[in-house]
Amino acid sequence: MTVYKLLLLPGDGIGPEVMAEVERVVAWVNARGEARIETETDLVGGCAYDAHGEAISDETMGRALAADAVMLGAVGGPKWDGVAYEQRPEAGLLRLRKDLELFANLRPAICYPALADASSLKRDRVDGLDIMIVRELTGGVYFGEPKEIKDLGGGQKRAVDTQVYQTYEIERIAAVAFELARLRRNQVHSSEKRNVMKTGVLWNEVVTRLHKERYSDVTLHHILADNCAMQLVRWPKQFDVIVTDNLFGDMLSDEASMLTGSLGMLPSASLGAADASGRRRALYEPVHGSAPDIAGKGVANPIATIASFAMALRYSFDQGETADLVERAIAFVLDEGYRTADIAQDGCRTIGTTEMGKAIISALDRMAK
Ligand code: NAD
Protein backbone atom coordinates (compact mmCIF):
# COMPACT_ATOMS: atom_id res chain seq x y z
CA MET A 1 0.00 0.00 0.00
CA THR A 2 1.33 3.46 -0.89
CA VAL A 3 2.08 5.72 2.06
CA TYR A 4 1.63 9.48 1.59
CA LYS A 5 2.80 12.27 3.88
CA LEU A 6 0.33 15.09 4.50
CA LEU A 7 1.34 18.16 6.48
CA LEU A 8 -1.62 19.84 8.21
CA LEU A 9 -1.30 23.54 8.96
CA PRO A 10 -4.60 24.51 10.60
CA GLY A 11 -3.52 28.13 11.25
CA ASP A 12 -5.74 30.71 12.95
CA GLY A 13 -9.39 31.50 13.64
CA ILE A 14 -11.71 28.83 12.25
CA GLY A 15 -8.70 27.05 10.64
CA PRO A 16 -8.28 24.50 13.47
CA GLU A 17 -12.05 23.89 13.65
CA VAL A 18 -12.43 23.03 9.96
CA MET A 19 -9.13 21.08 9.87
CA ALA A 20 -10.39 18.81 12.69
CA GLU A 21 -13.14 17.66 10.30
CA VAL A 22 -10.54 16.93 7.60
CA GLU A 23 -8.73 14.72 10.13
CA ARG A 24 -11.97 12.79 10.53
CA VAL A 25 -12.07 12.20 6.76
CA VAL A 26 -8.36 11.25 6.68
CA ALA A 27 -9.07 8.62 9.37
CA TRP A 28 -11.98 7.32 7.28
CA VAL A 29 -9.78 7.05 4.15
CA ASN A 30 -7.06 5.24 6.14
CA ALA A 31 -9.60 2.80 7.62
CA ARG A 32 -10.76 2.00 4.08
CA GLY A 33 -7.29 0.62 3.47
CA GLU A 34 -6.56 1.65 -0.13
CA ALA A 35 -3.83 4.13 0.80
CA ARG A 36 -2.19 5.23 4.00
CA ILE A 37 -2.06 8.98 4.64
CA GLU A 38 0.28 9.88 7.48
CA THR A 39 -0.35 13.32 8.93
CA GLU A 40 1.80 15.72 10.87
CA THR A 41 0.45 18.99 12.29
CA ASP A 42 2.37 22.26 12.57
CA LEU A 43 1.97 26.02 12.97
CA VAL A 44 1.49 28.75 10.36
CA GLY A 45 0.22 32.32 10.53
CA GLY A 46 -0.53 34.22 13.73
CA CYS A 47 -0.18 31.16 15.97
CA ALA A 48 3.33 30.54 14.51
CA TYR A 49 4.20 34.19 15.11
CA ASP A 50 3.09 33.84 18.74
CA ALA A 51 5.25 30.72 19.14
CA HIS A 52 8.38 31.64 17.13
CA GLY A 53 8.12 35.34 16.17
CA GLU A 54 7.66 34.45 12.48
CA ALA A 55 4.66 33.36 10.41
CA ILE A 56 6.31 30.10 9.41
CA SER A 57 9.52 28.65 10.81
CA ASP A 58 12.33 27.09 8.74
CA GLU A 59 11.56 23.72 10.39
CA THR A 60 7.94 23.89 9.30
CA MET A 61 9.03 24.92 5.79
CA GLY A 62 11.34 21.88 5.75
CA ARG A 63 8.40 19.63 6.65
CA ALA A 64 6.29 21.25 3.91
CA LEU A 65 9.04 20.60 1.33
CA ALA A 66 9.33 16.96 2.42
CA ALA A 67 5.58 16.24 2.41
CA ASP A 68 3.59 14.84 -0.52
CA ALA A 69 1.01 17.56 0.09
CA VAL A 70 0.27 20.40 2.50
CA MET A 71 -3.19 21.39 3.75
CA LEU A 72 -3.74 24.85 5.16
CA GLY A 73 -6.77 26.05 7.15
CA ALA A 74 -6.58 29.85 7.28
CA VAL A 75 -4.27 32.53 8.63
CA GLY A 76 -4.73 35.96 10.17
CA GLY A 77 -7.03 37.88 12.45
CA PRO A 78 -7.32 41.18 14.33
CA LYS A 79 -4.97 39.95 17.08
CA TRP A 80 -2.03 40.35 14.67
CA ASP A 81 -3.07 43.60 12.99
CA GLY A 82 -0.14 45.50 14.55
CA VAL A 83 2.55 42.94 13.60
CA ALA A 84 5.34 44.15 11.25
CA TYR A 85 4.75 43.53 7.51
CA GLU A 86 7.41 40.78 7.18
CA GLN A 87 6.05 38.82 10.14
CA ARG A 88 2.31 39.24 9.47
CA PRO A 89 0.34 35.95 9.33
CA GLU A 90 -0.14 36.12 5.53
CA ALA A 91 3.67 36.06 5.13
CA GLY A 92 3.56 32.37 6.13
CA LEU A 93 1.20 31.56 3.29
CA LEU A 94 3.20 33.61 0.78
CA ARG A 95 6.41 31.85 1.79
CA LEU A 96 4.75 28.46 1.36
CA ARG A 97 3.59 29.42 -2.15
CA LYS A 98 7.00 30.82 -3.06
CA ASP A 99 9.27 28.13 -1.60
CA LEU A 100 7.09 25.30 -2.91
CA GLU A 101 7.14 27.10 -6.31
CA LEU A 102 3.39 26.78 -6.76
CA PHE A 103 2.67 28.35 -10.13
CA ALA A 104 -0.75 26.83 -10.86
CA ASN A 105 -3.77 27.79 -8.83
CA LEU A 106 -6.80 25.54 -9.36
CA ARG A 107 -10.16 26.96 -8.34
CA PRO A 108 -13.13 24.74 -9.06
CA ALA A 109 -16.58 26.36 -9.17
CA ILE A 110 -19.08 23.58 -8.57
CA CYS A 111 -22.73 24.25 -7.94
CA TYR A 112 -24.34 21.56 -5.82
CA PRO A 113 -27.97 21.11 -6.99
CA ALA A 114 -29.23 21.50 -3.38
CA LEU A 115 -27.64 24.96 -3.18
CA ALA A 116 -28.52 26.23 -6.66
CA ASP A 117 -31.00 28.72 -5.19
CA ALA A 118 -28.21 30.36 -3.12
CA SER A 119 -26.45 31.47 -6.32
CA SER A 120 -26.66 35.03 -7.58
CA LEU A 121 -27.87 33.57 -10.92
CA LYS A 122 -31.07 31.72 -11.75
CA ARG A 123 -31.16 27.98 -11.02
CA ASP A 124 -31.18 26.92 -14.69
CA ARG A 125 -27.92 28.82 -15.27
CA VAL A 126 -25.96 27.15 -12.45
CA ASP A 127 -27.59 23.83 -11.54
CA GLY A 128 -24.89 21.19 -12.13
CA LEU A 129 -22.21 23.77 -12.92
CA ASP A 130 -18.65 22.38 -12.80
CA ILE A 131 -15.88 24.74 -13.95
CA MET A 132 -12.16 24.60 -13.21
CA ILE A 133 -10.27 27.89 -13.36
CA VAL A 134 -6.51 27.46 -13.73
CA ARG A 135 -4.78 30.70 -12.77
CA GLU A 136 -1.06 31.41 -13.26
CA LEU A 137 0.10 32.32 -9.75
CA THR A 138 3.74 33.38 -9.74
CA GLY A 139 4.16 35.70 -12.73
CA GLY A 140 2.44 38.55 -14.52
CA VAL A 141 1.63 42.03 -13.33
CA TYR A 142 1.72 41.27 -9.59
CA PHE A 143 5.43 40.46 -9.77
CA GLY A 144 6.81 42.17 -12.93
CA GLU A 145 9.50 44.84 -12.63
CA PRO A 146 9.59 47.82 -12.68
CA LYS A 147 6.91 48.18 -10.05
CA GLU A 148 7.06 51.61 -8.50
CA ILE A 149 5.53 54.99 -7.77
CA LYS A 150 7.75 57.93 -8.79
CA ASP A 151 7.30 61.48 -7.55
CA LEU A 152 7.34 63.72 -10.62
CA GLY A 153 7.12 66.94 -8.59
CA GLY A 154 4.40 69.56 -8.86
CA GLY A 155 1.95 67.28 -7.06
CA GLN A 156 2.22 64.60 -9.78
CA LYS A 157 3.26 60.99 -9.34
CA ARG A 158 3.71 58.15 -11.81
CA ALA A 159 2.81 54.55 -10.90
CA VAL A 160 4.00 51.56 -12.91
CA ASP A 161 3.17 47.87 -12.75
CA THR A 162 4.67 45.61 -15.37
CA GLN A 163 2.95 42.63 -16.97
CA VAL A 164 5.66 40.15 -18.00
CA TYR A 165 5.40 36.55 -19.21
CA GLN A 166 7.99 34.25 -20.69
CA THR A 167 7.30 31.27 -22.93
CA TYR A 168 8.08 28.64 -20.25
CA GLU A 169 5.66 30.21 -17.78
CA ILE A 170 2.79 30.07 -20.28
CA GLU A 171 3.74 26.56 -21.44
CA ARG A 172 3.73 25.01 -17.97
CA ILE A 173 0.39 26.53 -16.87
CA ALA A 174 -1.25 25.62 -20.19
CA ALA A 175 0.04 22.04 -19.83
CA VAL A 176 -1.64 21.80 -16.40
CA ALA A 177 -4.91 23.03 -17.93
CA PHE A 178 -4.80 20.57 -20.87
CA GLU A 179 -3.97 17.66 -18.58
CA LEU A 180 -6.83 18.54 -16.23
CA ALA A 181 -9.22 18.85 -19.17
CA ARG A 182 -8.35 15.30 -20.23
CA LEU A 183 -9.59 14.10 -16.82
CA ARG A 184 -12.79 16.14 -17.20
CA ARG A 185 -14.81 17.12 -20.30
CA ASN A 186 -11.77 17.66 -22.54
CA GLN A 187 -12.31 21.36 -23.21
CA VAL A 188 -10.03 24.35 -22.50
CA HIS A 189 -10.79 28.05 -22.86
CA SER A 190 -7.57 30.09 -22.90
CA SER A 191 -8.28 33.65 -21.85
CA GLU A 192 -6.13 36.74 -22.47
CA LYS A 193 -6.36 40.17 -24.13
CA ARG A 194 -4.29 39.73 -27.29
CA ASN A 195 -6.21 42.63 -28.87
CA VAL A 196 -4.49 45.17 -26.59
CA MET A 197 -1.63 43.41 -24.75
CA LYS A 198 1.66 41.96 -26.04
CA THR A 199 1.60 39.38 -23.21
CA GLY A 200 -1.80 38.35 -24.60
CA VAL A 201 -0.29 37.88 -28.09
CA LEU A 202 2.49 35.67 -26.70
CA TRP A 203 0.05 33.78 -24.44
CA ASN A 204 -2.18 32.99 -27.42
CA GLU A 205 0.79 31.94 -29.58
CA VAL A 206 2.31 29.63 -26.97
CA VAL A 207 -1.01 27.97 -26.01
CA THR A 208 -1.86 27.43 -29.70
CA ARG A 209 1.54 25.82 -30.40
CA LEU A 210 1.49 23.60 -27.30
CA HIS A 211 -2.02 22.46 -28.16
CA LYS A 212 -0.95 21.52 -31.69
CA GLU A 213 2.20 19.73 -30.54
CA ARG A 214 0.96 17.82 -27.49
CA TYR A 215 -2.74 18.22 -26.75
CA SER A 216 -4.63 18.25 -30.06
CA ASP A 217 -7.11 15.71 -28.60
CA VAL A 218 -8.40 18.47 -26.29
CA THR A 219 -10.81 21.08 -27.72
CA LEU A 220 -9.21 24.52 -27.39
CA HIS A 221 -11.06 27.85 -27.54
CA HIS A 222 -9.46 31.28 -27.26
CA ILE A 223 -11.56 33.89 -25.51
CA LEU A 224 -10.78 37.52 -24.66
CA ALA A 225 -10.77 38.00 -20.88
CA ASP A 226 -13.51 40.64 -20.90
CA ASN A 227 -15.77 38.39 -22.96
CA CYS A 228 -14.93 35.50 -20.60
CA ALA A 229 -16.12 37.61 -17.63
CA MET A 230 -19.37 38.30 -19.47
CA GLN A 231 -19.93 34.70 -20.58
CA LEU A 232 -19.38 33.47 -17.00
CA VAL A 233 -22.56 35.22 -15.90
CA ARG A 234 -24.44 34.74 -19.19
CA TRP A 235 -24.05 30.98 -19.67
CA PRO A 236 -21.37 29.56 -17.33
CA LYS A 237 -22.12 25.93 -18.21
CA GLN A 238 -20.35 26.41 -21.59
CA PHE A 239 -17.01 26.21 -19.73
CA ASP A 240 -14.98 23.21 -18.57
CA VAL A 241 -11.39 24.39 -17.89
CA ILE A 242 -10.42 28.07 -18.17
CA VAL A 243 -6.68 28.89 -18.19
CA THR A 244 -5.56 32.44 -17.70
CA ASP A 245 -2.88 34.71 -16.26
CA ASN A 246 -2.45 35.92 -12.70
CA LEU A 247 -4.46 39.15 -12.95
CA PHE A 248 -7.36 37.88 -15.06
CA GLY A 249 -7.40 34.66 -13.03
CA ASP A 250 -7.77 36.62 -9.82
CA MET A 251 -10.87 38.37 -11.17
CA LEU A 252 -12.43 35.48 -13.09
CA SER A 253 -12.04 32.95 -10.25
CA ASP A 254 -13.73 35.29 -7.76
CA GLU A 255 -16.51 35.95 -10.24
CA ALA A 256 -17.01 32.22 -10.84
CA SER A 257 -17.01 31.48 -7.12
CA MET A 258 -20.03 33.70 -6.59
CA LEU A 259 -21.99 31.53 -9.01
CA THR A 260 -21.92 28.75 -6.45
CA GLY A 261 -23.17 30.40 -3.25
CA SER A 262 -21.09 30.61 -0.07
CA LEU A 263 -17.41 31.18 0.67
CA GLY A 264 -17.65 28.23 3.06
CA MET A 265 -18.06 25.88 0.08
CA LEU A 266 -15.04 26.80 -2.06
CA PRO A 267 -11.89 24.63 -2.20
CA SER A 268 -8.60 25.37 -3.98
CA ALA A 269 -5.32 23.74 -4.88
CA SER A 270 -1.98 25.23 -5.87
CA LEU A 271 0.44 23.00 -7.74
CA GLY A 272 4.14 23.19 -8.63
CA ALA A 273 6.16 21.56 -11.39
CA ALA A 274 6.17 17.77 -11.71
CA ASP A 275 9.44 16.02 -10.79
CA ALA A 276 10.87 13.01 -12.66
CA SER A 277 8.42 10.68 -10.89
CA GLY A 278 5.46 12.89 -11.85
CA ARG A 279 4.99 14.11 -8.27
CA ARG A 280 4.04 17.78 -7.92
CA ARG A 281 4.47 19.94 -4.83
CA ALA A 282 1.00 20.95 -3.72
CA LEU A 283 -0.88 23.11 -1.25
CA TYR A 284 -4.61 22.63 -0.64
CA GLU A 285 -6.69 25.24 1.16
CA PRO A 286 -10.20 26.63 1.37
CA VAL A 287 -10.69 29.98 -0.38
CA HIS A 288 -12.10 31.57 2.78
CA GLY A 289 -10.08 33.27 5.53
CA SER A 290 -9.93 32.77 9.29
CA ALA A 291 -13.43 34.25 9.88
CA PRO A 292 -12.64 35.85 13.25
CA ASP A 293 -16.32 36.82 13.63
CA ILE A 294 -17.36 33.17 14.07
CA ALA A 295 -14.09 31.59 15.32
CA GLY A 296 -14.46 29.39 18.41
CA LYS A 297 -18.24 29.14 18.05
CA GLY A 298 -18.32 25.75 16.34
CA VAL A 299 -20.48 27.06 13.47
CA ALA A 300 -17.93 27.31 10.61
CA ASN A 301 -18.68 25.38 7.45
CA PRO A 302 -15.99 22.67 7.02
CA ILE A 303 -17.06 21.75 3.45
CA ALA A 304 -14.53 24.01 1.63
CA THR A 305 -11.67 22.40 3.56
CA ILE A 306 -13.00 18.85 3.18
CA ALA A 307 -13.47 19.49 -0.57
CA SER A 308 -9.85 20.77 -0.66
CA PHE A 309 -8.79 17.44 0.88
CA ALA A 310 -10.77 15.68 -1.88
CA MET A 311 -8.60 17.61 -4.36
CA ALA A 312 -5.50 16.36 -2.51
CA LEU A 313 -6.79 12.78 -2.84
CA ARG A 314 -7.22 13.31 -6.59
CA TYR A 315 -4.10 15.32 -7.51
CA SER A 316 -1.50 14.28 -4.91
CA PHE A 317 -2.52 10.83 -3.63
CA ASP A 318 -3.74 9.16 -6.82
CA GLN A 319 -7.07 8.33 -5.14
CA GLY A 320 -9.51 9.64 -7.73
CA GLU A 321 -12.27 7.20 -6.78
CA THR A 322 -12.08 8.10 -3.10
CA ALA A 323 -12.08 11.79 -4.08
CA ASP A 324 -15.28 11.17 -6.05
CA LEU A 325 -16.79 9.49 -2.99
CA VAL A 326 -15.94 12.45 -0.72
CA GLU A 327 -17.41 14.92 -3.23
CA ARG A 328 -20.53 12.79 -3.60
CA ALA A 329 -20.87 12.53 0.20
CA ILE A 330 -20.84 16.35 0.42
CA ALA A 331 -23.61 16.58 -2.21
CA PHE A 332 -25.51 13.82 -0.39
CA VAL A 333 -25.61 15.58 3.02
CA LEU A 334 -26.73 18.77 1.31
CA ASP A 335 -29.51 16.82 -0.44
CA GLU A 336 -30.47 15.38 2.95
CA GLY A 337 -31.07 18.97 4.11
CA TYR A 338 -28.09 19.48 6.42
CA ARG A 339 -26.74 23.04 6.40
CA THR A 340 -24.24 25.08 8.40
CA ALA A 341 -25.36 28.61 9.32
CA ASP A 342 -23.71 30.28 6.30
CA ILE A 343 -25.83 28.23 3.86
CA ALA A 344 -28.94 27.91 6.09
CA GLN A 345 -32.21 27.55 4.20
CA ASP A 346 -35.88 27.32 5.18
CA GLY A 347 -36.93 23.71 5.66
CA CYS A 348 -33.33 22.55 6.24
CA ARG A 349 -31.58 21.57 9.48
CA THR A 350 -28.85 23.98 10.64
CA ILE A 351 -25.96 22.14 12.29
CA GLY A 352 -22.45 23.03 13.55
CA THR A 353 -18.96 22.26 12.22
CA THR A 354 -18.55 18.92 14.01
CA GLU A 355 -22.04 17.71 13.11
CA MET A 356 -21.38 18.53 9.45
CA GLY A 357 -18.11 16.56 9.57
CA LYS A 358 -19.90 13.61 11.16
CA ALA A 359 -22.77 13.80 8.65
CA ILE A 360 -20.24 13.57 5.79
CA ILE A 361 -18.57 10.54 7.43
CA SER A 362 -21.95 8.89 7.89
CA ALA A 363 -22.74 9.51 4.19
CA LEU A 364 -19.32 8.07 3.25
CA ASP A 365 -20.05 4.95 5.32
CA ARG A 366 -23.37 4.44 3.57
CA MET A 367 -22.03 5.19 0.08
CA ALA A 368 -18.94 2.99 0.33
CA LYS A 369 -20.96 -0.13 1.19
P1 NAD B 1 -13.10 35.55 5.72
O1 NAD B 1 -13.12 34.64 4.55
O2 NAD B 1 -12.36 35.10 6.89
O3 NAD B 1 -14.61 35.87 6.17
C1 NAD B 1 -15.55 36.57 5.34
C2 NAD B 1 -16.98 36.23 5.83
O4 NAD B 1 -17.30 34.90 5.45
C3 NAD B 1 -17.14 36.29 7.35
O5 NAD B 1 -18.42 36.78 7.66
C4 NAD B 1 -17.01 34.85 7.78
O6 NAD B 1 -17.71 34.54 8.98
C5 NAD B 1 -17.60 34.10 6.59
N1 NAD B 1 -16.96 32.80 6.42
C6 NAD B 1 -15.72 32.56 5.95
N2 NAD B 1 -15.46 31.25 5.97
C7 NAD B 1 -16.55 30.64 6.47
C8 NAD B 1 -16.87 29.29 6.76
N3 NAD B 1 -16.02 28.28 6.51
N4 NAD B 1 -18.07 29.02 7.31
C9 NAD B 1 -18.95 30.01 7.54
N5 NAD B 1 -18.71 31.31 7.29
C10 NAD B 1 -17.50 31.62 6.76
O7 NAD B 1 -12.54 36.97 5.19
P2 NAD B 1 -12.20 38.29 6.01
O8 NAD B 1 -13.21 38.50 7.08
O9 NAD B 1 -12.01 39.31 4.97
O10 NAD B 1 -10.78 38.02 6.67
C11 NAD B 1 -10.59 37.55 8.01
C12 NAD B 1 -9.12 37.24 8.22
O11 NAD B 1 -8.75 36.15 7.36
C13 NAD B 1 -8.19 38.39 7.88
O12 NAD B 1 -7.14 38.41 8.82
C14 NAD B 1 -7.66 38.05 6.49
O13 NAD B 1 -6.40 38.60 6.25
C15 NAD B 1 -7.59 36.54 6.60
N6 NAD B 1 -7.68 35.84 5.29
C16 NAD B 1 -6.91 34.73 5.19
C17 NAD B 1 -6.97 33.97 4.04
C18 NAD B 1 -6.17 32.71 3.98
O14 NAD B 1 -5.71 32.24 4.99
N7 NAD B 1 -5.99 32.12 2.81
C19 NAD B 1 -7.84 34.33 2.99
C20 NAD B 1 -8.64 35.47 3.15
C21 NAD B 1 -8.56 36.21 4.33
Side-chain angles (χ1 to χ4, degrees):
M1 193 196 309
T2 318
V3 179
Y4 297 100
K5 278 201 266 176
L6 174 65
L7 178 66
L8 301 178
L9 300 173
D12 308 316
I14 61 169
E17 297 170 49
V18 292
M19 196 64 85
E21 301 317 308
V22 166
E23 290 188 68
R24 217 184 275 286
V25 182
V26 172
W28 185 88
V29 171
N30 282 339
R32 204 166 176 240
E34 283 178 11
R36 166 123 207 108
I37 300 167
E38 288 179 353
T39 61
E40 250 189 310
T41 304
D42 213 330
L43 301 176
V44 70
C47 57
Y49 174 79
D50 288 346
H52 315 293
E54 52 189 350
I56 190 161
S57 68
D58 290 344
E59 292 74 44
T60 310
M61 233 9 271
R63 279 184 201 120
L65 286 162
D68 293 301
V70 180
M71 280 215 64
L72 183 123
V75 295
K79 182 179 174 196
W80 300 282
D81 278 350
V83 170
Y85 189 78
E86 290 70 29
Q87 277 104 36
R88 72 200 192 285
E90 290 74 13
L93 179 53
L94 295 180
R95 181 165 175 205
L96 275 165
R97 286 182 184 157
K98 184 164 171 283
D99 290 8
L100 296 175
E101 296 176 74
L102 305 173
F103 65 85
N105 184 225
L106 275 47
R107 291 260 304 255
I110 295 169
C111 186
Y112 295 97
L115 294 185
D117 294 323
S119 167
S120 48
L121 297 191
K122 293 192 194 90
R123 173 177 276 276
D124 74 308
R125 303 286 143 133
V126 294
D127 194 356
L129 181 77
D130 181 359
I131 303 177
M132 177 70 81
I133 299 201
V134 180
R135 167 188 170 193
E136 201 289 327
L137 201 59
T138 50
V141 74
Y142 294 162
F143 296 97
E145 295 286 345
K147 186 178 203 56
E148 60 188 12
I149 301 179
K150 265 196 182 154
D151 201 331
L152 302 177
Q156 292 295 309
K157 291 182 180 177
R158 184 169 182 270
V160 181
D161 292 292
T162 306
Q163 164 92 341
V164 188
Y165 274 109
Q166 293 189 39
T167 305
Y168 79 93
E169 292 174 287
I170 304 169
E171 259 171 15
R172 65 184 184 179
I173 190 80
V176 169
F178 284 127
E179 272 156 36
L180 279 171
R182 278 181 176 160
L183 302 173
R184 295 167 49 95
R185 299 188 300 282
N186 222 28
Q187 217 193 116
V188 169
H189 279 79
S190 167
S191 185
E192 30 62 19
K193 283 203 49 98
R194 64 188 177 282
N195 51 340
V196 286
M197 295 171 77
K198 289 294 180 195
T199 46
V201 173
L202 182 65
W203 186 282
N204 185 277
E205 209 178 283
V206 173
V207 173
T208 304
R209 179 182 45 75
L210 186 73
H211 174 251
K212 206 169 150 206
E213 285 172 7
R214 285 169 48 197
Y215 299 103
S216 56
D217 55 306
V218 180
T219 306
L220 170 66
H221 309 270
H222 295 285
I223 184 166
L224 294 176
D226 47 346
N227 186 26
C228 190
M230 191 178 79
Q231 296 298 332
L232 271 173
V233 287
R234 193 184 74 82
W235 189 245
K237 285 194 246 180
Q238 68 186 282
F239 294 109
D240 176 15
V241 175
I242 298 173
V243 62
T244 189
D245 74 12
N246 203 343
L247 174 65
F248 298 140
D250 196 359
M251 313 291 152
L252 296 175
S253 60
D254 270 19
E255 185 191 1
S257 69
M258 268 301 96
L259 304 174
T260 71
S262 165
L263 211 47
M265 300 293 301
L266 298 167
S268 80
S270 302
L271 307 178
D275 65 16
S277 68
R279 169 182 174 263
R280 288 180 189 275
R281 295 238 162 84
L283 174 72
Y284 299 89
E285 55 179 324
V287 169
H288 64 71
S290 59
D293 52 334
I294 56 165
K297 295 185 180 158
V299 298
N301 187 347
I303 291 179
T305 318
I306 292 175
S308 303
F309 174 63
M311 291 182 85
L313 286 169
R314 190 182 309 283
Y315 300 123
S316 288
F317 303 152
D318 204 18
Q319 299 290 310
E321 256 177 51
T322 314
D324 286 345
L325 264 182
V326 174
E327 284 162 0
R328 278 183 14 234
I330 292 170
F332 192 84
V333 296
L334 295 171
D335 281 343
E336 284 185 306
Y338 290 112
R339 301 282 188 277
T340 41
D342 58 313
I343 50 171
Q345 254 177 301
D346 284 346
C348 291
R349 203 173 136 214
T350 303
I351 57 176
T353 313
T354 310
E355 292 79 9
M356 182 55 91
K358 285 183 177 165
I360 290 170
I361 296 293
S362 153
L364 280 169
D365 282 338
R366 281 174 282 159
M367 290 166 61
K369 271 186 187 145

